[in-house]
Amino acid sequence: GVLTNAPAGATVPWYRDIALGVALTMALFAVLFGTRRVSAAEHHQGLMLAIAFESVVKVLAFVGVGTWAWLRLEPGAVHLPQALPTDDGLQSLNFATTTLLAACAVFCLPRQFQVGVVECVEPADVRRARWTFPVYLLLFTVFVVPVVLLAQQTGGTGGSPDTLLLTLPLSEGAPALALLAFLGGLSAATAMVIVASIALATMITNDLLLPALGRSRLVAVEDLGERVLWFRRAAIVGLALLAYAYYRQAGTPANLAQIGLLAFAAFAQFAPGILAGLYWRGATREGVFWGLAVGFALWLYTLVLPAVAPASTLVVDGPAGFSLLRPHALLGFESAGPLAHGALWSLAANVAVLVGFSLRRGTTLQERQFAKSFIAPTPRAALPGSVSDARVGDLEKLAARIVGSAAARRL
């Protein structure tokens, strides 16, 4: 590696792998600062302040390296090549698929939901983010150009693109700038992993574990609030270990862009259900559920399986040697890249199943009421002053089942 001077492709035992220590350290940070209270709507102001500071460090580091690269360009070198050395041009299917996945990631990723919805204190923050977030992304888009041009000019494009911001300053005799780039990359990684871990752990406990425990009655109601915190902590550690297991099991050397796009393709499966729930009154719960199930199954088969077992018989020859069902060439379609192939097949199947099941069964009264509340929400002023006859004691008992007796009494 760049920092450890380990030979490329060298493997070490899992218990000596520095990646395991990094994963557990970030999990510990997320546990300490993100699971102190039961309420899923809790605002983690200290954590958000730390994430904001890391974001500033990240953009300053990138702008610093980009400015340094611009100043080192030789006269006459400030021009873009007519064609980049890749087959993924602006009009290719691979580029269009990558753009689609990135657009879906803006509103489907758990960390985007955590920061944009759960941690949102004032609606004015969202209006401000509408222009600050695009400007933030634009800075990276602009300053990556001189870095790439300098790398082409000095012949430094032979290494991994993931480490270009480290290797380029080191090769040009600027170790201090390389250290700044490392700090920026570390800030970006920790912010992403910690926020995503907290969001996913909350979703796992609230939407999967708690309903199952409520039906099974394995945990007493009065103990449920405290148990929820431990479930979330265990989920955070489990997610870190799963990510490390994928890193160790991946058949090819890990590439950050490929891993990120693989995750984008997974969370893009939520986009058809979200859009249908917001804009189509005919969408049903059954259609969204089975669409997600089929989409995720194809995502696992066409993208995850070839990544973790690229040389397996199932990947190379297809099931039972049936070549038309190979993960990278379903029904003989091989013109698109692996990412575009898997993402488009899974999303197309997701949409087809969602629409088919919804049209076959039709919507229930409850689903129509939910759809109306999203598509044509009732103005706040039109709501009656009293919408329920529930007593305080009834509300306390209901809250105790979710957050525990002590927290319910405080509320």
Side-chain angles (χ1 to χ4, degrees), residues 306-331:
V308 299
S312 65
T313 304
L314 183 61
V315 174
V316 176
D317 301 325
F322 193 50
S323 60
L324 287 179
L325 295 181
R326 285 178 297 163
H328 281 167
L330 282 180
L331 302 183

Side-chain angles (χ1 to χ4, degrees), residues 20 158-159 187 209 224 229 280 347:
L20 177 60
S187 298
L209 290 179
L224 193 56
L229 288 178
W280 183 35
L347 284 173

Side-chain angles (χ1 to χ4, degrees), residues 171-214:
S171 63
E172 295 295 313
L177 195 62
L179 177 61
L180 178 63
F182 171 75
L183 292 176
L186 182 64
S187 298
T190 53
M192 176 183 66
V193 171
I194 290 169
V195 176
S197 298
I198 294 173
L200 284 173
T202 303
M203 294 176 182
I204 289 172
T205 54
N206 290 3
D207 299 326
L208 298 179
L209 290 179
L210 285 183
L213 290 174

Side-chain angles (χ1 to χ4, degrees), residues 52-355:
F53 178 76
E54 289 181 332
S55 300
V56 173
V57 172
K58 175 175 62 177
V59 72
L60 289 179
F62 203 97
V63 170
V65 176
T67 304
W68 167 82
W70 180 275
L71 296 176
R72 291 188 65 87
L73 287 174
E74 294 180 357
V78 186
H79 65 276
L80 290 175
Q82 294 182 353
L84 295 175
T86 176
D87 295 331
D88 298 337
L90 296 180
Q91 298 180 351
S92 70
L93 184 60
N94 293 331
F95 180 81
T97 304
T98 303
T99 304
L100 173 64
L101 295 180
C104 293
V106 171
F107 62 92
C108 289
L109 286 180
R111 65 175 183 268
Q112 299 291 108
F113 175 82
Q114 180 73 23
V115 175
V117 178
V118 177
E119 303 294 345
C120 181
V121 179
E122 297 291 341
D125 296 339
V126 178
R127 291 192 290 269
R128 191 179 301 111
R130 287 178 178 174
W131 64 269
T132 54
F133 184 57
V135 170
Y136 187 76
L137 296 178
L138 182 62
L139 287 174
F140 290 95
T141 304
V142 170
F143 283 93
V144 75
V145 175
V147 174
V148 173
L149 290 177
L150 181 62
Q152 290 181 337
Q153 177 181 297
T154 58
T157 57
S160 171
D162 295 335
T163 58
L164 183 60
L165 261 68
L166 287 175
T167 56
L168 189 60
L170 286 175
S171 63
E172 295 295 313
L177 195 62
L179 177 61
L180 178 63
F182 171 75
L183 292 176
L186 182 64
S187 298
T190 53
M192 176 183 66
V193 171
I194 290 169
V195 176
S197 298
I198 294 173
L200 284 173
T202 303
M203 294 176 182
I204 289 172
T205 54
N206 290 3
D207 299 326
L208 298 179
L209 290 179
L210 285 183
L213 290 174
R215 289 190 296 267
S216 63
R217 301 186 182 276
L218 294 175
V219 180
V221 173
E222 57 271 15
D223 298 332
L224 193 56
E226 185 175 350
R227 295 288 182 89
V228 167
L229 288 178
W230 286 106
F231 287 148
R232 288 180 186 169
R233 293 162 184 164
I236 289 174
V237 176
L239 289 169
L241 293 177
L242 282 175
Y244 175 73
Y246 173 81
Y247 161 77
R248 294 284 298 189
Q249 185 63 30
T252 56
N255 181 287
L256 290 179
Q258 292 176 354
I259 294 175
L261 289 173
L262 189 67
F264 282 11
F267 286 106
Q269 303 304 320
F270 293 107
I274 292 174
L275 295 176
L278 290 174
Y279 300 109
W280 183 35
R281 295 191 180 188
T284 66
R285 176 182 178 275
E286 183 183 32
V288 173
F289 175 82
W290 287 111
L292 280 173
V294 172
F296 274 115
L298 280 176
W299 171 77
L300 287 170
Y301 182 69
T302 59
L303 290 174
V304 177
L305 180 62
V308 299
S312 65
T313 304
L314 183 61
V315 174
V316 176
D317 301 325
F322 193 50
S323 60
L324 287 179
L325 295 181
R326 285 178 297 163
H328 281 167
L330 282 180
L331 302 183
F333 290 100
E334 300 183 70
S335 57
L339 175 70
H341 177 272
L344 293 179
W345 266 111
S346 58
L347 284 173
N350 188 336
V351 173
V353 172
L354 187 157
V355 174

